[in-house]
Amino acid sequence: MSLMTSELWPYVVLILVGFLPNEIWRLLGFAVARGIDEGSELFVWVRAVATGVLAAVIAKLIFFAPGALATVPLSVRLVAMVAGFAGFIAFRRSVFAGVATGEAVLILGAFLLPKL
C-alpha cells in the first residue's frame, strides 16, 4: 500500500506544505534574532507597529463582528474587552489571564443576554 493511497496522505501533505516551511522560517528568525538589541530604535518601532496592527484587528472584530460573533450584542463584546484588559492588569500583565477573563465574560454575556 503506497502512502498516496492510504488514509494518511492528507497529514503528510499538511506536514510538508504547512508545518515544515513555517519551521524553517522560525528557526532562521531565531538564529538572526539572537544578535538584536531589544532596546534599539528599530526593534521598538517594529514592536509598536505590531501592537498597533493587533489593536486594529481586535477593534475590527469587536465593532464589525463576523459570523456567530455578530449575534452577540456590541455591549457584551465591549464589556468583555474591558474585562479582558482588567484581567490582564490584575494578574500582573498575564496575557493568558486577560484572554481567559475576556473570553469567559463574552461567553457568559452571550448566553445571558439576548440579541439586541
Side-chain angles (χ1 to χ4, degrees):
M1 181 161 87
S2 76
L3 186 60
M4 295 308 283
T5 59
S6 74
E7 294 180 8
L8 297 177
W9 75 268
Y11 299 107
V12 172
V13 170
L14 183 65
I15 289 171
L16 291 176
V17 176
F19 175 73
L20 289 179
N22 183 42
E23 285 301 305
I24 291 169
W25 286 109
R26 212 170 128 185
L27 290 174
L28 183 63
F30 177 73
V32 171
R34 283 192 296 172
I36 294 178
D37 177 26
E38 287 187 32
S40 71
E41 288 186 34
L42 178 65
F43 197 75
V44 170
W45 179 80
V46 168
R47 189 179 317 151
V49 169
T51 303
V53 169
L54 179 62
V57 169
I58 291 170
K60 183 178 178 187
L61 286 172
I62 290 172
F63 291 108
F64 306 105
L69 188 58
T71 63
V72 178
L74 177 62
S75 59
V76 172
R77 290 179 274 169
L78 290 171
V79 168
M81 179 189 66
V82 171
F85 184 69
F88 171 76
I89 297 298
F91 291 99
R92 292 181 267 167
R93 300 179 62 92
S94 169
V95 174
F96 177 77
V99 170
T101 303
E103 188 173 346
V105 170
L106 183 68
I107 291 170
L108 285 172
F111 281 122
L112 296 178
L113 291 177
K115 185 176 187 229
L116 300 175

